[in-house]
Amino acid sequence: MKGVRSPRTREPLHRVSNGSHGELSTGRPGRRGSPLVLFASVEVAPFSQVGGLGDVAGSLPTALAEAGIRVVVVTPWYGAPDTRSTAAEQAGVTITVPGLAGPEQFQVWRGELRSGVPVLFLVNANLFGSSYVYVAERDRQRFAAFSRAVVELMRVLPVDILHANDWHTCPAVIWHRELRYRSRALFHQRSVLTIHNLAHQGITDVTYARALGLEVDELLDEERARYPDTINVLARGILAADAVTTVSPSYAEEIKTPAFGEGLDRLLRQRGDRLLGILNGIDTAWYNPAADPALPSRYTVENLEGKALCKRTLQRELDLASSSELPLVGVISRLDRQKGIDLVVEAIDELIGLGVQVALLGTGDTTLERQIAEASRRYPQLVASVLRFDAELARRIYAASDIFLMPSRFEPCGIGQFIALRYGAVPVVHRTGGLADTVQEWHAPSGSGNGFVFEEHTPEALLAAVRRAVDVFQKPVEWQRLVRNAMECDVSWSRSALEYARVYDFILGLATSAGAPSSAAER
Ligand code: GLC
């Protein structure tokens, strides 16, 4: 396996022409012999984003390109066509796939990530005409059609690897597996599936699955055991993919156990030799306190004065008591059970008793929203809650916070702790999944560690960890060292991009040993 990649080149687009399909760009060339990866995701920031999947799909492809891999992102276009024109141009390609009520057509539009990595938008107003990424009951139908179109795209692009993400694009992995033995165009291609969250599996009624074109001969034990007469799109994707990755080494181990496996642990153990945890990263050029335009003042690890000013400004913005002495605890999260926000609600009085302020940003569960709003009414100077999604305010909170709290019950990777480290907000986390892999407890005698970690998922354990953080906050020299450790952590994608490159090499290595089918078998 090769560890060294050539730097990203800035050469003109390499074009592939196909008579019946028009012209499609496959991006700039990468390292010599580099595979072409088609990265399929139903969320891609900044075009569409609901959660962490959008962050990853919007930033990992850039890191792959920087590692010398040719990569093209493919995603649905959501919403009205008029806004599309600013972000993309028509590629002159139409893909037709079977749909529930007759054929569905996708127009291919071409755009770019901020870094210049090509993005293909598949446009179909019938299925993706609203600006919502997820619309509950219709999602299986919408994403099956999108996935089918991705497979058709793979016939005309010289793709080596399909990189699918979560259950939404699993139908592409499943179809590709089925069709590749009958198609010369698809035969040498391989697939990788990345699981961002095992809790969502795309469980689909068998009759409906058949109507969507997914062939179902026999049900898996996992399917029968959970809901009779349903197929599990994620489970089938896990079986069909040449490699399965998830977003942290710890989560890769956890999901092989009944406690975290969401009913698929047996299957994941079975695929253990092809299952790998690769830690997420963040785009460190975008999340950069030294250059972030959302901040009232910028700072670096060498000079943290700007961070103090960010704190004062945020205290004013959120009507919190103005004080540099009170440690400010930031919480930025979807408000739900996975994220363990119920612990914060339960512990709020004791938290305030430790002499901290809390700034909380997020939306979700209405009961949690109500409880949080109620806490900020009770402690107007000490608890601020903003119950909406606001990416800029989020960055101001990361910058202003001394401590960042992430009490997730389970966490495949988590992104908040990376941004917090980068912005010098010391993370306090529950030891699970990616949080366990990225935050190490502060150890004063050796000056090592970048945060505080609690083991039991209880309000008491959370409070004890925050208390440890507050104690160190009172000792400025120690605290400065801790903040420095946090800010100096490598939270970029660079190491993980190389790990993905090795996975691609690995599965393509297998590909070269098999013989191609004859053109007679071509479909
Ligand atoms: C999901 C997971 C989160 C992960 C993200 C990106 O949102 O819950 O832990 O960081 O996907 O992989």
Side-chain angles (χ1 to χ4, degrees), residues 51-53 56 196-197 247 280 334 338-339 411-415:
L53 173 61
V56 171
H196 297 263
N197 193 337
V247 290
N280 284 339
R334 216 169 56 229
Q338 174 194 341
K339 299 294 176 182
E411 194 62 81
C413 182
I415 288 174

Side-chain angles (χ1 to χ4, degrees), residues 288-290 298-307 487:
N288 180 5
R298 287 168 267 289
Y299 58 93
T300 61
V301 65
E302 272 70 46
N303 184 351
L304 289 166
E305 267 170 40
K307 184 166 172 68
M487 291 182 78

Side-chain angles (χ1 to χ4, degrees), residues 122-151:
L122 301 193
V123 182
N124 171 313
N126 178 30
L127 299 171
F128 297 100
S130 93
S131 56
Y132 291 100
V133 173
Y134 304 108
V135 289
E137 329 75 56
R138 285 189 77 209
D139 286 351
R140 287 156 307 172
Q141 176 197 350
R142 294 160 76 232
F143 298 142
F146 169 70
S147 293
R148 184 60 203 227
V150 168
V151 176

Side-chain angles (χ1 to χ4, degrees), residues 230-495:
T230 57
I231 75 148
N232 185 314
V233 172
L234 182 68
R236 284 171 184 260
I238 290 170
L239 281 172
D242 295 295
V244 180
T245 70
T246 185
V247 290
S248 69
S250 287
Y251 192 60
E253 289 308 311
E254 288 168 355
I255 58 179
K256 287 188 265 182
T257 67
F260 291 89
E262 303 279 352
L264 302 185
D265 48 293
R266 190 194 62 98
L267 203 65
L268 289 158
R269 283 196 300 278
Q270 192 183 317
R271 297 242 53 204
D273 61 334
R274 290 297 177 93
L275 171 65
L276 186 69
I278 302 179
L279 208 56
N280 284 339
I282 55 170
D283 178 344
T284 47
W286 178 251
Y287 290 111
N288 180 5
D292 189 335
L295 307 187
S297 114
R298 287 168 267 289
Y299 58 93
T300 61
V301 65
E302 272 70 46
N303 184 351
L304 289 166
E305 267 170 40
K307 184 166 172 68
L309 188 65
C310 287
K311 179 171 171 180
R312 278 203 297 282
T313 315
L314 187 84
Q315 285 170 329
R316 265 203 308 276
E317 180 180 349
L318 299 183
D319 289 326
L320 287 166
S322 194
S323 155
S324 59
E325 312 284 293
L326 293 176
L328 176 62
V329 179
V331 181
I332 301 174
S333 180
R334 216 169 56 229
L335 307 177
D336 69 16
R337 215 185 119 72
Q338 174 194 341
K339 299 294 176 182
I341 301 301
D342 48 317
L343 286 197
V344 181
V345 167
E346 261 184 75
I348 197 76
D349 296 323
E350 289 88 344
L351 255 179
I352 296 306
L354 295 176
V356 303
Q357 286 182 324
V358 178
L360 190 145
L361 172 68
T363 58
D365 183 283
T366 46
T367 309
L368 286 172
E369 284 192 359
R370 189 172 40 72
Q371 290 167 325
I372 289 161
E374 201 264 318
S376 54
R377 273 194 298 277
R378 248 179 318 136
Y379 300 106
Q381 300 259 293
L382 299 174
V383 179
S385 60
V386 182
L387 304 176
R388 61 165 195 263
F389 178 80
D390 184 333
E392 296 205 346
L393 176 59
R395 304 213 296 284
R396 288 199 294 280
I397 296 178
Y398 283 114
S401 297
D402 300 295
I403 294 169
F404 187 76
L405 190 54
M406 239 176 129
S408 310
R409 246 182 202 86
F410 71 94
E411 194 62 81
C413 182
I415 288 174
Q417 81 275 26
F418 290 116
I419 309 173
L421 289 166
R422 178 95 172 123
Y423 283 66
V426 172
V428 173
V429 304
H430 176 222
R431 196 154 106 101
T432 185
L435 297 174
D437 293 337
T438 48
V439 181
Q440 294 85 37
E441 178 84 16
W442 167 249
H443 180 247
S446 61
S448 65
N450 59 5
F452 298 89
V453 184
F454 57 96
E455 304 274 333
E456 301 289 315
H457 199 255
T458 60
E460 294 73 30
L462 175 147
L463 282 165
V466 175
R467 187 176 299 114
R468 294 198 297 280
V470 172
D471 286 347
V472 181
F473 182 83
Q474 314 300 353
K475 305 173 195 152
V477 178
E478 262 191 49
W479 186 256
Q480 258 184 22
R481 171 74 190 263
L482 172 51
V483 170
R484 171 177 281 273
N485 287 0
M487 291 182 78
E488 285 178 347
C489 285
D490 179 7
V491 293
S492 77
W493 274 110
S494 46
R495 217 171 336 153

